[in-house]
Amino acid sequence: MSVFTAPDFAGHEQVVFASDPACGLRAIIAIHDTTRGPALGGCRMWHYASEADAVADVLRLSQGMTYKSALAELPLGGGKAVVLGDPAHDKSEALWRALGRAIDRLGGHYVTAEDVGTSVADLETVRTATAHVAGIAEGGSGDPSPATAFGVFMGMQAAVRHRLGGADVTGLRVALQGLGHVGLCLAEHLAEAGAELVVADLDPGRVDAAVERFGARRAESAAIHAEDVEVFAPCALGAILNDRTIPELWAPVVAGSANNQLAEARHGGALAEHGVLYAPDYAINAGGIINVSHESTRTGRPYDRQAAYAHIARIHDTLARIFEAADAEGIPTSVAADRLAEARLRQAA
Ligand code: NAD
């Protein structure tokens, strides 16, 4: 397995393999870029098919965090951690404390937070071994998911205005894939705004709850991207926009929270050719990290939810700017977002 020559290596500053055989910890911490500040990004726990898959995931996710924070103009760099294991069976207090010690040895260059497979409770245990933890209740802003969902809701409205010319999402049909921490909260915003929901999740209990609470219609997880709706909102796992799904998309707008929605970078171009306006994932799902950047440990002032949410609402304008640049230059929105993020990184350098 190679790291320096991996396709996603992208000039990472540091990649650390952490192990503790006593508790079974096997983790990889990737610090992509600290030009704008300490590398902040969540810790994912996942049952990877191979170590190579875990390396590819952490490299790709941490670079995404660099771009996400640069685009949101935060004083933060990009990093990510992955713990190799099954979140349903392999968690223990000893494991989280061992991860905390590994993070602490990096002296604050990497700051961790919640991600897929980890919870605020897990992070609170990590916090007993290191101060470099964000997004937990104690002294912080808590679970970042509601903030992420609010940002997606703002960004979705920018996309709807740009592509469909309407004022907001009232009366529009939105297909929501994934009713987890973010998806459920996004469903609340959409239902409140008068959107019609079509939902899918691998967990039938979550689908039943959404049908009952929001009058949503249920769809098959494997086919929800092909629903006849105005907006497809991927809020589950990545690589949902690929060679198979893009030709099947009916929605003129794709706007959701999932990280790494494009299976490969070229799929940004494929979406544009298919006539779909794609809200680049790291631009629209930055609400959580923007919220974390308002925590007292980062600002020196008490966390102010109103100020944080006003900042998150600016995701609307960032996306509008990306859409306009893509139109003006005749490039996919994913490329326009990358160019804006890279310009902001260069400014900081
Ligand atoms: P979560 O684990 O709470 O929820 C994910 C949901 O998706 C679960 O209910 C799961 O059953 C469902 N799911 C998984 N595969 C599916 C499939 N093929 N079809 C339908 N449903 C499926 O995760 P979350 O925190 O809500 O995050 C969702 C996505 O948003 C992830 O990609 C995450 O990386 C991204 N994201 C989250 C945040 C945040 O603040 N939580 C921030 C930025 C990005």
PDB file of all heavy atoms in Angstrom, residues 13 29-42 62 65-66 69 75-80 103 108-113 132 289 298:
ATOM      1  N   GLU A  13       0.386  17.408   4.558  1.00  0.00           N
ATOM      2  CA  GLU A  13       1.512  17.802   5.419  1.00  0.00           C
ATOM      3  C   GLU A  13       1.965  16.648   6.304  1.00  0.00           C
ATOM      4  O   GLU A  13       3.144  16.481   6.588  1.00  0.00           O
ATOM      5  CB  GLU A  13       1.092  18.966   6.332  1.00  0.00           C
ATOM      6  CG  GLU A  13       0.954  20.280   5.588  1.00  0.00           C
ATOM      7  CD  GLU A  13       0.480  21.403   6.510  1.00  0.00           C
ATOM      8  OE1 GLU A  13       0.491  21.232   7.749  1.00  0.00           O
ATOM      9  OE2 GLU A  13       0.089  22.446   5.967  1.00  0.00           O
ATOM     10  N   ILE A  29      -4.683   9.480  11.076  1.00  0.00           N
ATOM     11  CA  ILE A  29      -4.989  10.914  11.173  1.00  0.00           C
ATOM     12  C   ILE A  29      -4.265  11.592  10.019  1.00  0.00           C
ATOM     13  O   ILE A  29      -3.042  11.451   9.878  1.00  0.00           O
ATOM     14  CB  ILE A  29      -4.504  11.494  12.516  1.00  0.00           C
ATOM     15  CG1 ILE A  29      -5.162  10.746  13.685  1.00  0.00           C
ATOM     16  CG2 ILE A  29      -4.803  12.989  12.587  1.00  0.00           C
ATOM     17  CD1 ILE A  29      -4.529  11.032  15.042  1.00  0.00           C
ATOM     18  N   ALA A  30      -5.019  12.296   9.190  1.00  0.00           N
ATOM     19  CA  ALA A  30      -4.422  12.975   8.033  1.00  0.00           C
ATOM     20  C   ALA A  30      -4.570  14.479   8.208  1.00  0.00           C
ATOM     21  O   ALA A  30      -5.675  14.984   8.446  1.00  0.00           O
ATOM     22  CB  ALA A  30      -5.112  12.518   6.753  1.00  0.00           C
ATOM     23  N   ILE A  31      -3.426  15.177   8.112  1.00  0.00           N
ATOM     24  CA  ILE A  31      -3.434  16.643   8.167  1.00  0.00           C
ATOM     25  C   ILE A  31      -3.070  17.115   6.767  1.00  0.00           C
ATOM     26  O   ILE A  31      -1.940  16.926   6.320  1.00  0.00           O
ATOM     27  CB  ILE A  31      -2.418  17.158   9.202  1.00  0.00           C
ATOM     28  CG1 ILE A  31      -2.831  16.690  10.608  1.00  0.00           C
ATOM     29  CG2 ILE A  31      -2.297  18.676   9.138  1.00  0.00           C
ATOM     30  CD1 ILE A  31      -1.858  17.093  11.706  1.00  0.00           C
ATOM     31  N   HIS A  32      -4.043  17.685   6.074  1.00  0.00           N
ATOM     32  CA  HIS A  32      -3.773  18.070   4.681  1.00  0.00           C
ATOM     33  C   HIS A  32      -3.053  19.403   4.586  1.00  0.00           C
ATOM     34  O   HIS A  32      -2.021  19.515   3.937  1.00  0.00           O
ATOM     35  CB  HIS A  32      -5.086  18.118   3.879  1.00  0.00           C
ATOM     36  CG  HIS A  32      -4.881  18.603   2.481  1.00  0.00           C
ATOM     37  ND1 HIS A  32      -5.357  19.808   2.020  1.00  0.00           N
ATOM     38  CD2 HIS A  32      -4.188  18.058   1.458  1.00  0.00           C
ATOM     39  CE1 HIS A  32      -4.990  19.968   0.766  1.00  0.00           C
ATOM     40  NE2 HIS A  32      -4.282  18.927   0.393  1.00  0.00           N
ATOM     41  N   ASP A  33      -3.605  20.430   5.269  1.00  0.00           N
ATOM     42  CA  ASP A  33      -3.049  21.765   5.067  1.00  0.00           C
ATOM     43  C   ASP A  33      -3.377  22.632   6.279  1.00  0.00           C
ATOM     44  O   ASP A  33      -4.531  22.675   6.712  1.00  0.00           O
ATOM     45  CB  ASP A  33      -3.694  22.376   3.811  1.00  0.00           C
ATOM     46  CG  ASP A  33      -3.024  23.671   3.390  1.00  0.00           C
ATOM     47  OD1 ASP A  33      -3.151  24.672   4.134  1.00  0.00           O
ATOM     48  OD2 ASP A  33      -2.382  23.691   2.337  1.00  0.00           O
ATOM     49  N   THR A  34      -2.351  23.300   6.828  1.00  0.00           N
ATOM     50  CA  THR A  34      -2.595  24.166   7.992  1.00  0.00           C
ATOM     51  C   THR A  34      -2.294  25.633   7.670  1.00  0.00           C
ATOM     52  O   THR A  34      -2.050  26.437   8.572  1.00  0.00           O
ATOM     53  CB  THR A  34      -1.751  23.714   9.207  1.00  0.00           C
ATOM     54  OG1 THR A  34      -0.375  23.677   8.808  1.00  0.00           O
ATOM     55  CG2 THR A  34      -2.169  22.346   9.720  1.00  0.00           C
ATOM     56  N   THR A  35      -2.337  25.990   6.381  1.00  0.00           N
ATOM     57  CA  THR A  35      -2.042  27.370   5.987  1.00  0.00           C
ATOM     58  C   THR A  35      -2.967  28.361   6.693  1.00  0.00           C
ATOM     59  O   THR A  35      -2.541  29.409   7.168  1.00  0.00           O
ATOM     60  CB  THR A  35      -2.221  27.535   4.458  1.00  0.00           C
ATOM     61  OG1 THR A  35      -1.452  26.544   3.810  1.00  0.00           O
ATOM     62  CG2 THR A  35      -1.795  28.916   4.003  1.00  0.00           C
ATOM     63  N   ARG A  36      -4.251  28.041   6.764  1.00  0.00           N
ATOM     64  CA  ARG A  36      -5.218  28.980   7.338  1.00  0.00           C
ATOM     65  C   ARG A  36      -5.396  28.803   8.840  1.00  0.00           C
ATOM     66  O   ARG A  36      -6.024  29.635   9.491  1.00  0.00           O
ATOM     67  CB  ARG A  36      -6.591  28.837   6.652  1.00  0.00           C
ATOM     68  CG  ARG A  36      -6.598  29.188   5.169  1.00  0.00           C
ATOM     69  CD  ARG A  36      -8.012  29.174   4.615  1.00  0.00           C
ATOM     70  NE  ARG A  36      -8.848  30.200   5.221  1.00  0.00           N
ATOM     71  CZ  ARG A  36      -9.067  31.405   4.694  1.00  0.00           C
ATOM     72  NH1 ARG A  36      -8.561  31.716   3.532  1.00  0.00           N
ATOM     73  NH2 ARG A  36      -9.812  32.291   5.311  1.00  0.00           N
ATOM     74  N   GLY A  37      -4.872  27.689   9.408  1.00  0.00           N
ATOM     75  CA  GLY A  37      -5.032  27.451  10.842  1.00  0.00           C
ATOM     76  C   GLY A  37      -4.944  25.970  11.134  1.00  0.00           C
ATOM     77  O   GLY A  37      -4.645  25.161  10.253  1.00  0.00           O
ATOM     78  N   PRO A  38      -5.218  25.570  12.401  1.00  0.00           N
ATOM     79  CA  PRO A  38      -5.150  24.144  12.749  1.00  0.00           C
ATOM     80  C   PRO A  38      -6.115  23.323  11.902  1.00  0.00           C
ATOM     81  O   PRO A  38      -7.186  23.790  11.532  1.00  0.00           O
ATOM     82  CB  PRO A  38      -5.551  24.115  14.230  1.00  0.00           C
ATOM     83  CG  PRO A  38      -6.067  25.461  14.556  1.00  0.00           C
ATOM     84  CD  PRO A  38      -5.610  26.425  13.527  1.00  0.00           C
ATOM     85  N   ALA A  39      -5.705  22.088  11.610  1.00  0.00           N
ATOM     86  CA  ALA A  39      -6.506  21.214  10.748  1.00  0.00           C
ATOM     87  C   ALA A  39      -7.673  20.660  11.549  1.00  0.00           C
ATOM     88  O   ALA A  39      -7.484  19.860  12.460  1.00  0.00           O
ATOM     89  CB  ALA A  39      -5.639  20.083  10.227  1.00  0.00           C
ATOM     90  N   LEU A  40      -8.888  21.107  11.212  1.00  0.00           N
ATOM     91  CA  LEU A  40     -10.064  20.631  11.945  1.00  0.00           C
ATOM     92  C   LEU A  40     -10.924  19.765  11.035  1.00  0.00           C
ATOM     93  O   LEU A  40     -11.226  20.146   9.913  1.00  0.00           O
ATOM     94  CB  LEU A  40     -10.876  21.820  12.468  1.00  0.00           C
ATOM     95  CG  LEU A  40     -11.865  21.472  13.588  1.00  0.00           C
ATOM     96  CD1 LEU A  40     -12.081  22.683  14.502  1.00  0.00           C
ATOM     97  CD2 LEU A  40     -13.198  20.997  13.089  1.00  0.00           C
ATOM     98  N   GLY A  41     -11.287  18.593  11.535  1.00  0.00           N
ATOM     99  CA  GLY A  41     -12.161  17.706  10.760  1.00  0.00           C
ATOM    100  C   GLY A  41     -12.558  16.519  11.607  1.00  0.00           C
ATOM    101  O   GLY A  41     -11.822  16.101  12.497  1.00  0.00           O
ATOM    102  N   GLY A  42     -13.718  15.969  11.330  1.00  0.00           N
ATOM    103  CA  GLY A  42     -14.296  14.927  12.170  1.00  0.00           C
ATOM    104  C   GLY A  42     -13.518  13.625  12.150  1.00  0.00           C
ATOM    105  O   GLY A  42     -12.622  13.408  11.342  1.00  0.00           O
ATOM    106  N   SER A  62      -9.799  14.675   4.296  1.00  0.00           N
ATOM    107  CA  SER A  62      -9.048  15.775   4.921  1.00  0.00           C
ATOM    108  C   SER A  62      -8.773  16.887   3.920  1.00  0.00           C
ATOM    109  O   SER A  62      -8.850  18.067   4.257  1.00  0.00           O
ATOM    110  CB  SER A  62      -7.757  15.277   5.572  1.00  0.00           C
ATOM    111  OG  SER A  62      -6.915  14.725   4.615  1.00  0.00           O
ATOM    112  N   MET A  65     -11.738  18.976   3.747  1.00  0.00           N
ATOM    113  CA  MET A  65     -11.882  19.920   4.868  1.00  0.00           C
ATOM    114  C   MET A  65     -11.078  21.195   4.613  1.00  0.00           C
ATOM    115  O   MET A  65     -11.505  22.284   5.000  1.00  0.00           O
ATOM    116  CB  MET A  65     -11.441  19.271   6.181  1.00  0.00           C
ATOM    117  CG  MET A  65     -12.346  18.163   6.685  1.00  0.00           C
ATOM    118  SD  MET A  65     -14.089  18.606   6.807  1.00  0.00           S
ATOM    119  CE  MET A  65     -14.035  19.924   8.014  1.00  0.00           C
ATOM    120  N   THR A  66      -9.899  21.057   3.996  1.00  0.00           N
ATOM    121  CA  THR A  66      -9.105  22.257   3.662  1.00  0.00           C
ATOM    122  C   THR A  66      -9.921  23.180   2.757  1.00  0.00           C
ATOM    123  O   THR A  66     -10.023  24.386   2.985  1.00  0.00           O
ATOM    124  CB  THR A  66      -7.808  21.855   2.927  1.00  0.00           C
ATOM    125  OG1 THR A  66      -7.044  21.007   3.778  1.00  0.00           O
ATOM    126  CG2 THR A  66      -6.979  23.073   2.548  1.00  0.00           C
ATOM    127  N   SER A  69     -13.075  24.754   4.644  1.00  0.00           N
ATOM    128  CA  SER A  69     -12.792  25.876   5.545  1.00  0.00           C
ATOM    129  C   SER A  69     -12.275  27.093   4.783  1.00  0.00           C
ATOM    130  O   SER A  69     -12.578  28.226   5.161  1.00  0.00           O
ATOM    131  CB  SER A  69     -11.776  25.449   6.610  1.00  0.00           C
ATOM    132  OG  SER A  69     -12.419  24.600   7.529  1.00  0.00           O
ATOM    133  N   PRO A  75     -10.564  30.511   9.880  1.00  0.00           N
ATOM    134  CA  PRO A  75      -9.134  30.421  10.232  1.00  0.00           C
ATOM    135  C   PRO A  75      -8.758  28.982  10.599  1.00  0.00           C
ATOM    136  O   PRO A  75      -8.214  28.730  11.662  1.00  0.00           O
ATOM    137  CB  PRO A  75      -9.027  31.366  11.435  1.00  0.00           C
ATOM    138  CG  PRO A  75     -10.380  31.306  12.060  1.00  0.00           C
ATOM    139  CD  PRO A  75     -11.378  31.053  10.973  1.00  0.00           C
ATOM    140  N   LEU A  76      -9.072  28.064   9.714  1.00  0.00           N
ATOM    141  CA  LEU A  76      -8.860  26.640   9.971  1.00  0.00           C
ATOM    142  C   LEU A  76      -8.275  25.957   8.743  1.00  0.00           C
ATOM    143  O   LEU A  76      -8.564  26.348   7.608  1.00  0.00           O
ATOM    144  CB  LEU A  76     -10.202  25.961  10.309  1.00  0.00           C
ATOM    145  CG  LEU A  76     -10.895  26.400  11.590  1.00  0.00           C
ATOM    146  CD1 LEU A  76     -12.314  25.830  11.642  1.00  0.00           C
ATOM    147  CD2 LEU A  76     -10.099  25.944  12.813  1.00  0.00           C
ATOM    148  N   GLY A  77      -7.483  24.908   8.995  1.00  0.00           N
ATOM    149  CA  GLY A  77      -6.977  24.080   7.911  1.00  0.00           C
ATOM    150  C   GLY A  77      -7.810  22.809   7.812  1.00  0.00           C
ATOM    151  O   GLY A  77      -8.879  22.689   8.418  1.00  0.00           O
ATOM    152  N   GLY A  78      -7.281  21.835   7.034  1.00  0.00           N
ATOM    153  CA  GLY A  78      -8.064  20.625   6.788  1.00  0.00           C
ATOM    154  C   GLY A  78      -7.391  19.372   7.302  1.00  0.00           C
ATOM    155  O   GLY A  78      -6.200  19.138   7.061  1.00  0.00           O
ATOM    156  N   GLY A  79      -8.141  18.578   8.038  1.00  0.00           N
ATOM    157  CA  GLY A  79      -7.647  17.296   8.524  1.00  0.00           C
ATOM    158  C   GLY A  79      -8.812  16.370   8.795  1.00  0.00           C
ATOM    159  O   GLY A  79      -9.981  16.791   8.748  1.00  0.00           O
ATOM    160  N   LYS A  80      -8.526  15.140   9.042  1.00  0.00           N
ATOM    161  CA  LYS A  80      -9.581  14.158   9.312  1.00  0.00           C
ATOM    162  C   LYS A  80      -8.945  12.957   9.983  1.00  0.00           C
ATOM    163  O   LYS A  80      -7.750  12.684   9.794  1.00  0.00           O
ATOM    164  CB  LYS A  80     -10.214  13.729   7.982  1.00  0.00           C
ATOM    165  CG  LYS A  80     -11.604  13.201   8.082  1.00  0.00           C
ATOM    166  CD  LYS A  80     -12.661  14.293   8.007  1.00  0.00           C
ATOM    167  CE  LYS A  80     -14.049  13.718   8.167  1.00  0.00           C
ATOM    168  NZ  LYS A  80     -15.101  14.721   8.091  1.00  0.00           N
ATOM    169  N   ILE A 103      -4.132  11.977  19.328  1.00  0.00           N
ATOM    170  CA  ILE A 103      -4.416  13.337  18.847  1.00  0.00           C
ATOM    171  C   ILE A 103      -3.618  14.349  19.657  1.00  0.00           C
ATOM    172  O   ILE A 103      -3.052  15.311  19.117  1.00  0.00           O
ATOM    173  CB  ILE A 103      -5.936  13.620  18.928  1.00  0.00           C
ATOM    174  CG1 ILE A 103      -6.672  12.764  17.887  1.00  0.00           C
ATOM    175  CG2 ILE A 103      -6.236  15.108  18.738  1.00  0.00           C
ATOM    176  CD1 ILE A 103      -8.184  12.754  18.050  1.00  0.00           C
ATOM    177  N   GLY A 108      -2.089  19.961  18.839  1.00  0.00           N
ATOM    178  CA  GLY A 108      -3.065  20.968  18.400  1.00  0.00           C
ATOM    179  C   GLY A 108      -3.056  21.222  16.899  1.00  0.00           C
ATOM    180  O   GLY A 108      -3.875  22.003  16.404  1.00  0.00           O
ATOM    181  N   HIS A 109      -2.158  20.582  16.154  1.00  0.00           N
ATOM    182  CA  HIS A 109      -2.194  20.748  14.689  1.00  0.00           C
ATOM    183  C   HIS A 109      -3.436  20.110  14.104  1.00  0.00           C
ATOM    184  O   HIS A 109      -3.918  20.511  13.054  1.00  0.00           O
ATOM    185  CB  HIS A 109      -0.947  20.129  14.034  1.00  0.00           C
ATOM    186  CG  HIS A 109       0.285  20.911  14.311  1.00  0.00           C
ATOM    187  ND1 HIS A 109       0.411  22.232  13.956  1.00  0.00           N
ATOM    188  CD2 HIS A 109       1.442  20.587  14.926  1.00  0.00           C
ATOM    189  CE1 HIS A 109       1.582  22.687  14.342  1.00  0.00           C
ATOM    190  NE2 HIS A 109       2.228  21.714  14.938  1.00  0.00           N
ATOM    191  N   TYR A 110      -3.962  19.079  14.801  1.00  0.00           N
ATOM    192  CA  TYR A 110      -5.221  18.459  14.374  1.00  0.00           C
ATOM    193  C   TYR A 110      -6.238  18.574  15.511  1.00  0.00           C
ATOM    194  O   TYR A 110      -5.922  18.272  16.674  1.00  0.00           O
ATOM    195  CB  TYR A 110      -5.017  16.971  14.017  1.00  0.00           C
ATOM    196  CG  TYR A 110      -6.334  16.244  13.811  1.00  0.00           C
ATOM    197  CD1 TYR A 110      -7.161  16.575  12.736  1.00  0.00           C
ATOM    198  CD2 TYR A 110      -6.779  15.276  14.708  1.00  0.00           C
ATOM    199  CE1 TYR A 110      -8.389  15.952  12.559  1.00  0.00           C
ATOM    200  CE2 TYR A 110      -8.010  14.646  14.533  1.00  0.00           C
ATOM    201  CZ  TYR A 110      -8.806  14.988  13.462  1.00  0.00           C
ATOM    202  OH  TYR A 110     -10.026  14.378  13.285  1.00  0.00           O
ATOM    203  N   VAL A 111      -7.453  19.013  15.174  1.00  0.00           N
ATOM    204  CA  VAL A 111      -8.552  19.103  16.138  1.00  0.00           C
ATOM    205  C   VAL A 111      -9.674  18.212  15.617  1.00  0.00           C
ATOM    206  O   VAL A 111     -10.088  18.344  14.456  1.00  0.00           O
ATOM    207  CB  VAL A 111      -9.058  20.556  16.274  1.00  0.00           C
ATOM    208  CG1 VAL A 111     -10.195  20.635  17.293  1.00  0.00           C
ATOM    209  CG2 VAL A 111      -7.921  21.493  16.651  1.00  0.00           C
ATOM    210  N   THR A 112     -10.158  17.316  16.453  1.00  0.00           N
ATOM    211  CA  THR A 112     -11.156  16.357  15.976  1.00  0.00           C
ATOM    212  C   THR A 112     -12.580  16.790  16.309  1.00  0.00           C
ATOM    213  O   THR A 112     -12.810  17.742  17.077  1.00  0.00           O
ATOM    214  CB  THR A 112     -10.858  14.949  16.551  1.00  0.00           C
ATOM    215  OG1 THR A 112     -11.537  13.976  15.761  1.00  0.00           O
ATOM    216  CG2 THR A 112     -11.292  14.812  18.000  1.00  0.00           C
ATOM    217  N   ALA A 113     -13.547  16.104  15.710  1.00  0.00           N
ATOM    218  CA  ALA A 113     -14.970  16.355  15.943  1.00  0.00           C
ATOM    219  C   ALA A 113     -15.736  15.089  15.547  1.00  0.00           C
ATOM    220  O   ALA A 113     -15.130  14.094  15.175  1.00  0.00           O
ATOM    221  CB  ALA A 113     -15.440  17.564  15.129  1.00  0.00           C
ATOM    222  N   HIS A 132      -7.992  18.867  22.282  1.00  0.00           N
ATOM    223  CA  HIS A 132      -8.189  19.227  20.875  1.00  0.00           C
ATOM    224  C   HIS A 132      -9.389  18.506  20.274  1.00  0.00           C
ATOM    225  O   HIS A 132      -9.273  17.678  19.360  1.00  0.00           O
ATOM    226  CB  HIS A 132      -6.900  18.952  20.095  1.00  0.00           C
ATOM    227  CG  HIS A 132      -5.714  19.616  20.715  1.00  0.00           C
ATOM    228  ND1 HIS A 132      -5.651  20.987  20.892  1.00  0.00           N
ATOM    229  CD2 HIS A 132      -4.576  19.121  21.263  1.00  0.00           C
ATOM    230  CE1 HIS A 132      -4.518  21.304  21.496  1.00  0.00           C
ATOM    231  NE2 HIS A 132      -3.857  20.194  21.744  1.00  0.00           N
ATOM    232  N   ILE A 289     -18.995  23.129  10.435  1.00  0.00           N
ATOM    233  CA  ILE A 289     -17.650  23.636  10.748  1.00  0.00           C
ATOM    234  C   ILE A 289     -17.680  25.144  11.018  1.00  0.00           C
ATOM    235  O   ILE A 289     -16.933  25.648  11.866  1.00  0.00           O
ATOM    236  CB  ILE A 289     -16.628  23.270   9.644  1.00  0.00           C
ATOM    237  CG1 ILE A 289     -15.204  23.600  10.076  1.00  0.00           C
ATOM    238  CG2 ILE A 289     -16.872  23.954   8.355  1.00  0.00           C
ATOM    239  CD1 ILE A 289     -14.359  22.414  10.239  1.00  0.00           C
ATOM    240  N   ARG A 298     -12.053  28.795  20.092  1.00  0.00           N
ATOM    241  CA  ARG A 298     -11.478  29.322  18.857  1.00  0.00           C
ATOM    242  C   ARG A 298     -11.540  30.849  18.809  1.00  0.00           C
ATOM    243  O   ARG A 298     -10.719  31.497  18.168  1.00  0.00           O
ATOM    244  CB  ARG A 298     -12.194  28.745  17.625  1.00  0.00           C
ATOM    245  CG  ARG A 298     -12.501  27.270  17.676  1.00  0.00           C
ATOM    246  CD  ARG A 298     -11.990  26.506  16.497  1.00  0.00           C
ATOM    247  NE  ARG A 298     -10.554  26.303  16.578  1.00  0.00           N
ATOM    248  CZ  ARG A 298      -9.974  25.361  17.346  1.00  0.00           C
ATOM    249  NH1 ARG A 298     -10.685  24.561  18.078  1.00  0.00           N
ATOM    250  NH2 ARG A 298      -8.670  25.248  17.369  1.00  0.00           N
TER     251      ARG A 298
END
